[in-house]
């Protein structure tokens, strides 16, 4: 369970997050949706202690963020930021293997190697393992980074727009993988998506944000409707109900 | 890949050993004991300086995530020289010379650590991009050098001679007093860096990724900056500023092993730096008749490498 209590955040006088209180239930996929500048990424980076909390409290699986040692939290929570620039001259295999760092601190055992190999296979990366990351295309790089994040093997995974640069095939593969991991290993995955229909098809819960405020949250079927979409995105769109999953035309 | 790295490392060890032996034995004449002792001290100093510059450059590049920055490009050694000149100014030439050099050295190292932290920690926290960092570094370097020359004008000529003696790049007149202390410091620094090699691999991914993987970013970066400051102080105190040596050593070393993993990179770069210094010094003493200073040629070649790197677009 991720518990967010009265969290606010300001950058240079502008309020980025305004008194957010939210509970993300344990297990399942939670989609964070909202227009640009809604504060989704800021909320995610606060949960992942990438920037210091200004106001309020966040606990992940009972561990208070900001008070728990970074090293301990890294075994519970993995995060992928939007477009992280990986500057280091590393090969795909090496980079994905770094995802296991919190567990072995630099001395990988057989278990770590097995997980890395499995993850590389899972994300269609086995053939790229010896390539340098900087030589890959945007979509391939994105897959490498997502693979590294899942390699960390944590119960909680935060993904900031992981579908960036992915083609339809790999976007679908990734969402199916997220779904499967959530179902089989009862992991909690919070994912920022812009494509509402991906949220509709794969998420158990929706959290909608706008201008630093929480607009709506709850189970997908209850929350996702024309009224909420209009309120958050600012225009009418029709939602085909009765279908599984829901489909929004926009 | 591991095989390639071990071949490179063995080759470099052989090169360093060979050049060390050549340095000690070429053109021996006169009082053997005296010459060997002199050369031995000089060789030790070259090794200490090479390791200090190599390791500090790798650490600095990892923290700033940048392959063309070095501590000296960022003005860190100019800062050291400024500290030294200021000390001469405050204490007077006689006062400075009569102090135990180890005491002033310790004071200078401490000062450099504090100043380096005060300057670079906020810049790293703000996660400045490369262009900005480079610009700030160049401006700071010019500032420190100008301040140094301002103070140099203010003090009287005798004191100035003391200050210049202390701050001019030279591998010929070494402070033997400082050598033992420097060697110990450098060894400690190298050991700390080596123990951190896995963390350094993660830190080179950048702040966000490193925090996500459980690195305590702030304390790690603070520690690394202190280490860099200590190593820069050691090499600058021994032989004065050598701006580009670190850059060449890292660029060459990385080409040779084709990886940025610190477990391999750190020893490779240290060995490359030592090899460049020792081979260069041999060339000077025996072929160019000590006509110039080693530092001058290292800077000349280094400047060209630096430009080539910029033009080749190796930005990170």
């Amino acid at each position: 369970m991720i518990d967010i209590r009265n969290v606010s955040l300001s950058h240079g006088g502008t309020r980025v997050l305004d008194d957010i209180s939210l509970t993300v239930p344990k297990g399942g996929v939670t989609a964070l949706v909202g227009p640009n500048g809604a504060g989704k990424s800021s909320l995610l980076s606060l949960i992942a202690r990438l920037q210091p909390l200004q106001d309020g409290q966040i606990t992940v699986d009972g561990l208070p963020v900001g008070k728990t040692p970074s090293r301990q939290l890294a075994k519970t929570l993995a995060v992928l930021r939007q477009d992280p620039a990986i500057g280091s001259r590393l090969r795909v295999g090496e980079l994905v293997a770094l995802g296991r760092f919190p567990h072995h601190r630099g001395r990988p055992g057989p278990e770590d190697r097995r997980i890395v190999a499995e993850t590389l296979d899972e994300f269609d990366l086995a053939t790229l393992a010896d390539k340098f990351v900087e030589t890959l295309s945007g979509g391939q790089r994105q897959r490498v980074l997502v693979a590294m994040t899942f390699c960390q093997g944590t119960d909680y995974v935060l993904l900031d727009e992981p579908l960036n640069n992915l083609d339809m095939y790999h976007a679908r593969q990734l969402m199916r993988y997220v779904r499967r991991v959530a179902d089989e290993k009862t992991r909690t995955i919070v994912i920022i998506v812009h494509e509402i229909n991906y949220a509709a098809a794969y998420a158990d819960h929706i959290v909608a944000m706008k201008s630093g405020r929480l607009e709506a949250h709850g189970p997908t079927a209850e929350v996702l409707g024309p009224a909420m979409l209009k309120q958050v995105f600012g225009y009418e769109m029709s939602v085909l109900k009765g279908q599984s999953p829901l489909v929004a035309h926009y | 890949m591991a095989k390639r790295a071990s071949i490179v490392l063995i080759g470099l060890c052989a090169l360093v050993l060979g050049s060390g032996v050549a340095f000690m034995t070429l053109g021996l004449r006169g009082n053997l004991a005296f010459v060997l002792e002199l050369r031995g001290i000089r060789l030790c100093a070259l090794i200490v300086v090479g390791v200090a510059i190599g390791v500090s450059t790798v650490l600095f590049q990892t923290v700033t995530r940048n392959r063309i920055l070095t501590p000296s490009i960022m003005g860190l050694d100019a800062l050291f020289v400024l500290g030294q000149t200021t000390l001469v100014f405050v204490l007077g030439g006689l006062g400075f010379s009569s102090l135990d050099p180890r005491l002033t050295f310790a004071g200078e190292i401490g000062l450099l650590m504090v100043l380096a932290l005060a300057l670079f920690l906020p810049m790293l926290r703000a996660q400045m991009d490369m262009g900005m960092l480079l610009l700030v570094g160049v401006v700071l370097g010019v500032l420190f050098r100008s301040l140094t020359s301002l103070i140099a004008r203010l003090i009287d000529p005798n004191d100035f001679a003391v200050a210049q003696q202390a701050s001019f790049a030279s591998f010929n007149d070494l402070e033997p007093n400082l050598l033992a202390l420097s060697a110990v410091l450098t060894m400690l620094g190298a050991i700390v860096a080596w123990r951190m090699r896995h963390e350094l691999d993660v830190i080179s991914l950048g702040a966000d990724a490193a925090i996500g993987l459980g690195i305590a970013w702030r304390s790690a970066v603070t520690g690394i900056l202190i280490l860099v400051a200590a190593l820069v102080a050691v090499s600058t105190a021994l032989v004065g500023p050598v701006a580009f040596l670190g850059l060449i050593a890292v660029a060459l070393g990385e080409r040779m092993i084709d990886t940025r993993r610190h477990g391999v990179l750190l020893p490779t770069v240290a060995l490359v730096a030592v090899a460049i210094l020792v081979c260069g010094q041999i060339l000077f003493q025996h072929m160019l008749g000590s006509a110039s200073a080693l530092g001058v040629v290292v800077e000349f070649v280094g400047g060209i490498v630096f430009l080539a790197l910029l033009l080749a677009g190796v930005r990170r």
Side-chain angles (χ1 to χ4, degrees):
Chain A
M1 187 174 83
I2 301 176
D3 193 38
I4 301 167
R5 283 281 148 259
N6 306 106
V7 166
S8 298
L9 180 74
S10 304
H11 278 317
T14 26
R15 214 146 171 80
V16 182
L17 292 175
D18 195 3
D19 197 22
I20 304 258
S21 291
L22 174 70
T23 301
V24 177
K26 189 170 171 124
V29 180
T30 300
L32 204 50
V33 302
N36 298 136
K40 309 183 293 291
S41 296
S42 300
L43 185 61
L44 219 59
S45 61
L46 285 179
I47 299 173
R49 44 109 172 65
L50 299 182
Q51 45 179 319
L53 266 175
Q54 291 174 349
D55 256 323
Q57 292 110 39
I58 298 177
T59 57
V60 176
D61 212 19
L63 302 170
V65 174
K67 296 192 185 82
T68 312
S70 189
R71 200 168 150 175
Q72 191 187 345
L73 209 56
K75 293 182 192 169
T76 309
L77 175 93
V79 61
L80 176 63
R81 286 294 295 265
Q82 210 180 141
D83 299 324
I86 297 297
S88 205
R89 192 167 167 75
L90 285 173
R91 290 166 207 276
V92 169
E94 291 174 325
L95 182 59
V96 173
L98 279 182
R100 299 296 302 161
F101 181 80
H103 304 276
H104 60 62
R105 310 294 297 176
R107 284 175 191 75
E111 171 76 359
D112 298 305
R113 292 207 187 83
R114 185 182 61 74
I115 294 174
V116 171
E118 272 177 22
T119 318
L120 284 173
D121 276 339
E122 189 69 56
F123 286 90
D124 277 348
L125 293 170
T127 53
L128 299 177
D130 287 329
K131 287 225 157 75
F132 280 109
V133 179
E134 58 207 12
T135 64
L136 301 182
S137 77
Q140 288 171 328
R141 240 173 55 101
Q142 185 69 14
R143 262 157 54 213
V144 172
L145 293 169
V146 174
M148 177 187 169
T149 312
F150 276 105
C151 214
Q152 209 170 325
T154 51
D155 281 344
Y156 293 82
V157 181
L158 311 178
L159 302 169
D160 192 346
E161 298 193 32
L163 302 180
N164 271 357
N165 292 326
L166 293 190
D167 59 40
M168 281 165 66
Y169 173 78
H170 284 110
R172 175 173 172 273
Q173 288 292 98
L174 173 58
M175 292 308 292
R176 284 161 64 101
Y177 178 73
V178 163
R179 189 67 256 168
R180 209 173 69 233
V181 169
D183 290 339
E184 287 172 8
K185 304 187 176 163
T186 56
R187 293 200 183 154
T188 313
I189 293 160
V190 180
I191 182 168
I192 296 181
V193 277
H194 280 300
E195 172 87 53
I196 282 293
N197 286 331
Y198 276 121
Y202 294 99
D204 306 304
H205 308 275
I206 301 268
V207 174
M209 292 177 66
K210 186 185 182 182
S211 321
R213 289 169 189 282
L214 213 55
E215 292 289 332
H217 63 103
T220 306
E222 286 172 28
V223 174
L224 207 63
M228 178 283 253
L229 290 172
K230 174 152 197 264
Q231 186 191 349
V232 172
F233 292 99
Y235 68 100
E236 289 288 351
M237 52 184 114
S238 60
V239 176
L240 297 184
K241 287 253 182 188
Q243 305 227 3
S244 179
L246 303 165
V247 180
H249 281 279
Y250 44 80
Chain B
M1 194 192 70
K3 206 171 150 194
R4 177 174 176 176
S6 15
I7 292 173
V8 169
L9 278 174
I10 291 171
L12 281 170
C13 282
L15 178 65
V16 167
L17 273 181
S19 54
V21 170
F23 182 80
M24 292 297 285
T25 54
L26 267 180
L28 273 181
R29 55 174 192 269
N31 184 342
L32 267 190
F34 173 73
V35 176
L36 280 181
E37 190 192 336
L38 191 71
R39 287 190 181 187
I41 289 178
R42 209 174 277 177
L43 182 64
C44 285
L46 290 174
I47 293 172
V48 168
V49 170
V51 172
I53 290 183
V55 172
S56 63
T57 308
V58 170
L59 293 178
F60 195 72
Q61 291 189 346
T62 294
V63 166
T64 54
R65 299 181 67 205
N66 199 302
R67 285 211 292 240
I68 59 172
L69 285 184
T70 69
S72 38
I73 291 176
M74 296 300 287
L76 214 54
D77 52 7
L79 186 60
F80 182 81
V81 174
L82 175 62
Q84 233 168 16
T85 316
T86 315
L87 267 183
V88 176
F89 180 62
V90 174
L91 300 173
L94 254 180
F96 184 80
S97 309
S98 60
L99 277 179
D100 185 346
R102 277 164 294 190
L103 194 70
T104 48
F105 183 46
E108 284 160 359
I109 290 184
L111 187 70
L112 187 67
M113 283 175 177
V114 172
L115 288 174
L117 278 185
L119 278 175
F120 294 116
L121 211 50
M123 290 191 337
L124 284 173
R125 274 204 202 135
Q127 305 204 354
M128 278 186 194
D129 64 29
M130 209 257 329
M132 192 70 174
L133 268 177
L134 200 57
L135 191 65
V136 171
V138 170
V139 170
L140 284 178
V142 170
L143 174 71
F144 298 146
R145 277 176 207 115
S146 314
L147 283 175
T148 307
S149 59
L150 173 71
I151 295 176
R153 264 157 223 267
L154 291 175
I155 58 186
D156 75 71
N158 289 331
D159 292 355
F160 178 65
V162 173
Q164 200 179 33
Q165 172 85 5
S167 62
F168 200 69
S170 158
F171 291 86
N172 289 324
D173 46 61
L174 293 157
E175 291 268 5
N177 279 337
L178 295 184
L179 187 57
L181 182 61
S182 304
V184 171
L185 267 177
T186 305
M187 208 158 72
L188 284 179
I191 290 171
V192 172
W194 171 254
R195 295 190 57 130
M196 282 184 78
R197 63 195 185 281
H198 300 299
E199 274 92 343
L200 287 168
D201 287 340
V202 178
I203 288 170
S204 68
L205 298 179
D208 286 347
I211 294 171
L213 289 171
I215 297 285
W217 176 254
R218 205 172 281 190
S219 55
V221 166
T222 310
I224 292 173
L225 277 178
I226 290 178
L227 198 54
V228 168
L231 290 172
V232 168
V234 164
S235 75
T236 317
L238 275 183
V239 297
V242 196
F244 285 116
L245 177 63
L247 185 80
I248 318 177
V250 178
L252 284 179
E254 204 187 331
R255 287 283 133 92
M256 286 180 199
I257 51 174
D258 207 18
T259 176
R260 193 84 198 170
R261 293 180 63 116
H262 291 79
V264 194
L265 187 66
L266 283 169
T268 307
V269 171
L271 286 172
V272 169
V274 172
I276 292 174
L277 283 178
V278 176
C279 291
Q281 190 70 21
I282 292 175
L283 272 180
F284 260 104
Q285 286 180 355
H286 299 287
M287 290 174 199
L288 300 171
S290 307
S292 174
L294 176 56
V296 175
V297 168
V298 171
E299 307 240 319
F300 177 68
V301 178
I304 293 172
V305 172
F306 182 68
L307 281 179
L309 283 178
L310 270 181
L311 290 177
V314 187
R315 306 201 139 207
R316 288 177 185 282

